[in-house]
Amino acid sequence: MRSSRGPLSYRPEPGSIPTQPGVYRFRDAKGRVIYVGKAKNLRSRLSSYFQDIGNLHQRTATMVTTAASVEWTVVNTEVEALQLEYSWIKEYDPRFNVKYRDDKSYPWLAVTVGEEFPRVMVGRGAKRKGTRYFGPYSHAWAIRETVDILLRVFPMRSCSNGVFKRSAQIGRPCLLGYIDKCSAPCVGNVSAEEHRAIVDDFCDFMGGQTRPFIRRIEKEMYAASEALDFEKAARLRDDLGAMERALEKQAVVLGDGADADVIALSEDPLEVAVQIFYVRGGRIRGQRGWVADRVDEGDTPELVQDFLLQLYAGDADTIPREILVPALPPDHETFEQLLGELRGSRVAIRVPQRGDKKTLQETVARNAMQALALHKTKRASDLTTRNRALEEIQTALELDEVPLRIECYDVSNLQGTEVVASMVVFEDGLARKSEYRRFVIKGVDGQNDVASMHEVITRRFRRLLDEQARSQAVEGDDGPMLVDPETGRPRRFAYAPGLVVVDGGPPQVAAAQRALDELGIDDIPVCGLAKRLEEVWLPVQEDPVILARSSEGLYLLQRIRDEAHRFAITHHRSRRSKTMVESVLDDVPGLGEVRRKTLLKHFGSLKKLREASVEEIATVPGIGARTATAIKDAVAVTGTNGKTGPRVSINTATGEIEES
């Protein structure tokens, strides 16, 4: 939505903008933050936006004409401006700021140092507190192979929480403990302090401190040989070979053994690809890539600045001593100061000019060029297809606008029990999983999908009206602010979809439309997709809308409907599993909720509880002999009724009840 009178309609009064450093925000007519920027001199920077539109870069002109207001915050230093800019970009996710997206999910090597007995594992996704990470790496199989080799030298725990607890209960280590690839802290072969020392050595080795370990093992090997302890010497020789094999997988690229992140960009007028090589101890320890749309007129230095801010400002643990870039960001001294404060020691940002570092950056640049070419090849067909699908939906349903945001709802139940509903969101034809929501149906008895659909639509859009009302009350004359008035965070439920899709035919569509009518909402279109013939139903039409089987619009609606169904089924199964587990023990006298959960966590699953003796059950804290006998009788009955069902267990990592 663009400002009807252009940027001059909200231009600040002459002299009202301060000349100090600060951060500014442009908002659209709905109060959403669409751009965040910083400046040494706010007056000079903001004044550049309010000139003849013809003199502005096309992307900047689009931004200022889309905006309806601008506001700013004065800070004391340029470092504070950088920090505030990062915080606002992370909080508001402005559409006109460059946002770097991972081009794939990279595997990390993680060590859970926050646990009493830390575990090494390979994983993906967001980082967690209390865990030390190495990488990311290009291939999970490569790092798993390296870990498998190093476990003979550093025999730390690598098993899951469930395996660890089970071994501790039965008093026998797992296979890794028997083949000397784990020191078996689960059965007390080493103390927590001794296991922690092994973990620290492993982390130091993975962090690049390899020579001290190699020299130490060589010294111990020669000493054992001189003492005629040839068995120990042979074992140390094999350990040394294992470390050498692990190091062979990581070629030396910087002869000075430097710790550096090497960054390169490949860009065109529309997009930019970034590649980074993580070099620790002179060896490449990991690689990662991003792709972003270019939404402002910035050249390479500005792109580097945006990337460094988003990469490091939120994760101080990853900042190296040296960052090699293709072009210095504007005010790179300020960046060095900010990153140095975050790291706790000096950080240098440099452009390599010659030697190994220049050669390595050229290699990174080639990777960035290939990544951009591959991304554009994939996106060309994908973007065209999604646009065609949305346009077909708009035409078929006679919508006023292309439905850029589509919400789909599905209801799931089992013979009227544990009735739940799902809401999935697609934006620009792609799933927006952070916006998904689940509902537990509370006001409907039995199996009534129509009434359940009416309830979930009512609850979702009543929330929409409530949040929009509260947002308007917060800002008053400045227009609606779709953020929480207490925390300032965006209200995700406050934005209306361009189309509501329900899983079902005319009854479900009518129920959804009736819910909107009762709330006084008349500007959100509704349709339903019936499974049997894949017909699209509208509230006011007796006949369905028939889309061609080859239609991209129908395919998109099917994908959205199927995703809503999958999400609802997943929620329903998890709730049904929990109910099934608890119902087995509900009638046991003297067994309340707290002791029931303690019992299940102790044994891990109903199968193991069923196999346990009365004496073993009685060892659980709070369970006496009489209660143990009643529990044994209850689980024995459920295990011999001849019926089959899902296998239920406790996820020891999360504490949640699962079925398979």
Side-chain angles (χ1 to χ4, degrees):
M1 180 177 180
R2 296 196 175 190
S3 174
S4 59
R5 293 183 294 163
L8 294 181
S9 64
Y10 61 90
R11 178 175 183 170
E13 293 294 328
S16 63
I17 308 176
T19 57
Q20 291 96 329
V23 184
Y24 53 91
R25 295 179 290 189
F26 282 88
R27 295 182 181 272
D28 63 13
K30 293 185 177 180
R32 289 174 291 196
V33 176
I34 61 172
Y35 185 75
V36 172
K38 65 172 180 59
K40 287 183 180 180
N41 184 318
L42 284 169
R43 180 179 300 175
S44 176
R45 184 71 183 98
L46 287 176
S47 297
S48 66
Y49 290 103
F50 299 101
Q51 55 177 296
D52 186 353
I53 294 293
N55 296 331
L56 295 175
H57 190 281
Q58 181 178 355
R59 287 184 288 267
T60 304
T62 302
M63 188 274 291
V64 297
T65 53
T66 302
S69 64
V70 63
E71 57 194 38
W72 56 85
T73 298
V74 175
V75 297
N76 294 322
T77 66
E78 295 173 39
V79 172
E80 290 181 8
L82 274 174
Q83 293 172 325
L84 183 58
E85 180 188 23
Y86 168 76
S87 298
W88 280 357
I89 290 175
K90 185 177 181 181
E91 178 177 352
Y92 295 110
D93 191 24
R95 58 179 289 199
F96 284 99
N97 281 91
V98 176
K99 292 182 285 290
Y100 291 91
R101 308 177 300 274
D102 282 358
D103 56 6
K104 65 177 75 174
S105 177
Y106 286 83
W108 301 88
L109 176 64
V111 180
T112 58
V113 293
E115 298 182 0
E116 181 182 8
F117 296 101
R119 169 194 177 195
V120 59
M121 57 185 178
V122 178
R124 302 175 187 266
K127 294 182 178 180
R128 299 180 180 178
K129 291 184 178 179
T131 302
R132 184 172 178 183
Y133 291 89
F134 301 93
Y137 299 91
S138 299
H139 302 286
W141 59 264
I143 186 56
R144 287 194 179 98
E145 186 176 284
T146 299
V147 171
D148 186 63
I149 293 172
L150 290 178
L151 283 179
R152 93 169 260 116
V153 186
F154 308 102
M156 64 176 294
R157 174 194 163 205
S158 59
C159 62
S160 66
N161 290 334
V163 173
F164 186 84
K165 290 182 179 180
R166 185 159 55 248
S167 296
Q169 289 171 357
I170 65 177
R172 294 196 307 271
C174 64
L175 177 63
L176 293 177
Y178 284 109
I179 63 176
D180 296 327
K181 286 193 173 181
C182 179
S183 55
C186 54
V187 294
N189 285 2
V190 295
S191 65
E193 292 75 17
E194 292 170 331
H195 184 260
R196 176 73 63 172
I198 296 173
V199 172
D200 291 341
D201 287 346
F202 176 85
C203 291
D204 290 342
F205 186 87
M206 292 303 301
Q209 302 177 29
T210 58
R211 291 306 306 169
F213 291 102
I214 293 177
R215 287 195 297 266
R216 187 185 73 186
I217 291 181
E218 287 177 342
K219 184 178 180 180
E220 292 176 358
M221 180 181 65
Y222 292 135
S225 179
E226 292 175 0
L228 304 182
D229 189 350
F230 298 116
E231 183 177 348
K232 180 180 179 181
R235 179 173 55 80
L236 292 170
R237 178 204 61 201
D238 294 341
D239 289 349
L240 189 63
M243 287 196 292
E244 293 291 353
R245 289 197 303 275
L247 290 175
E248 285 174 0
K249 299 177 181 295
Q250 302 168 345
V252 176
V253 291
L254 298 181
D256 58 358
D259 292 344
D261 285 354
V262 186
I263 299 169
L265 280 68
S266 178
E267 52 188 291
D268 65 16
L270 297 177
E271 294 176 305
V272 55
V274 181
Q275 286 282 312
I276 178 171
F277 280 15
Y278 300 91
V279 180
R280 300 295 182 267
R283 299 175 183 270
I284 298 176
R285 301 287 178 174
Q287 173 191 2
R288 199 173 181 185
W290 291 261
V291 179
D293 295 323
R294 298 189 66 166
V295 290
D296 58 30
E297 72 276 19
D299 293 325
T300 302
E302 287 75 18
L303 292 172
V304 170
Q305 172 177 285
D306 292 335
F307 177 71
L308 294 180
L309 188 64
Q310 295 183 39
L311 178 64
Y312 295 119
D315 192 0
D317 294 337
T318 63
I319 302 175
R321 288 181 294 187
E322 188 175 17
I323 302 172
L324 304 179
V325 295
L328 289 177
D331 307 321
H332 71 278
E333 297 90 352
T334 304
F335 256 93
E336 290 179 339
Q337 182 181 349
L338 172 63
L339 298 181
E341 291 176 358
L342 293 173
R343 187 178 189 270
S345 61
R346 186 174 180 273
V347 175
I349 302 176
R350 297 194 179 98
V351 177
Q353 301 296 329
R354 63 183 69 85
D356 292 342
K357 295 179 180 178
K358 177 66 173 178
T359 301
L360 179 59
Q361 190 174 62
E362 291 172 350
T363 301
V364 181
R366 286 195 295 272
N367 278 266
M369 188 181 304
Q370 294 169 1
L372 181 62
L374 180 61
H375 170 78
K376 293 183 75 66
T377 300
K378 290 181 177 179
R379 182 172 181 177
S381 59
D382 180 54
L383 184 61
T384 301
T385 301
R386 286 189 282 118
N387 286 341
R388 185 165 66 249
L390 292 173
E391 290 172 357
E392 287 180 1
I393 293 173
Q394 178 191 11
T395 301
L397 304 186
E398 299 181 355
L399 305 178
D400 294 333
E401 297 179 348
V402 173
L404 298 180
R405 177 185 173 102
I406 301 176
E407 295 180 1
C408 185
Y409 298 84
D410 184 33
V411 175
S412 177
N413 68 81
L414 178 64
Q415 297 179 347
T417 64
E418 295 292 342
V419 184
V420 300
S422 68
M423 162 187 155
V424 302
V425 179
F426 275 58
E427 291 187 354
D428 293 332
L430 296 176
R432 187 75 178 267
K433 294 193 175 183
S434 62
E435 305 276 333
Y436 285 15
R437 292 294 182 271
R438 292 176 171 133
F439 300 84
V440 177
I441 303 302
K442 303 175 182 178
V444 179
D445 295 328
Q447 184 173 355
N448 190 333
D449 288 354
V450 174
S452 299
M453 184 63 71
H454 181 274
E455 177 181 326
V456 71
I457 296 294
T458 300
R459 287 166 57 185
R460 186 272 183 263
F461 288 97
R462 182 181 292 132
R463 176 82 173 271
L464 169 79
L465 297 177
D466 290 345
E467 292 200 352
Q468 286 183 344
R470 286 199 297 269
S471 298
Q472 291 172 352
V474 170
E475 284 296 322
D477 295 337
D478 294 335
M481 284 286 292
L482 303 182
V483 297
D484 189 302
E486 296 181 358
T487 65
R489 296 186 180 278
R491 292 185 181 275
R492 298 185 184 277
F493 263 93
Y495 296 106
L499 176 65
V500 168
V501 180
V502 298
D503 181 17
Q508 287 81 4
V509 174
Q513 186 62 57
R514 187 171 69 255
L516 293 176
D517 293 341
E518 291 169 357
L519 294 172
I521 298 175
D522 58 4
D523 58 349
I524 298 178
V526 178
C527 74
L529 185 61
K531 289 187 179 70
R532 190 170 65 89
L533 298 175
E534 302 293 14
E535 299 168 332
V536 180
W537 292 89
L538 297 176
V540 295
Q541 294 185 8
E542 295 183 0
D543 298 322
V545 176
I546 305 298
L547 295 176
R549 288 290 175 176
S550 59
S551 165
E552 291 293 342
L554 177 60
Y555 177 65
L556 177 58
L557 289 175
Q558 289 172 329
R559 282 202 303 126
I560 296 172
R561 189 269 318 280
D562 293 344
E563 176 69 357
H565 185 66
R566 179 201 66 80
F567 195 53
I569 288 293
T570 302
H571 186 205
H572 181 260
R573 283 176 177 169
S574 66
R575 290 184 58 83
R576 179 160 51 92
S577 299
K578 183 176 181 179
T579 301
M580 292 174 64
V581 173
E582 294 181 347
S583 64
V584 171
L585 303 174
D586 274 346
D587 297 330
V588 176
L591 190 65
E593 181 180 357
V594 173
R595 286 197 289 176
R596 183 168 62 239
K597 290 183 178 179
T598 302
L599 187 71
L600 289 172
K601 287 185 178 180
H602 179 83
F603 288 100
S605 69
L606 278 177
K607 180 181 178 182
K608 294 191 178 299
L609 177 59
R610 189 175 294 124
E611 294 171 350
S613 65
V614 173
E615 292 75 16
E616 290 173 332
I617 297 174
T619 61
V620 177
I623 306 295
R626 181 179 299 177
T627 304
T629 302
I631 291 171
K632 182 66 177 178
D633 293 342
V635 297
V637 170
T638 60
T640 57
N641 60 8
K643 296 180 180 180
T644 59
R647 178 185 175 192
V648 182
S649 62
I650 298 292
N651 185 325
T652 54
T654 64
E656 295 178 351
I657 301 173
E658 301 177 341
E659 75 168 0
S660 59

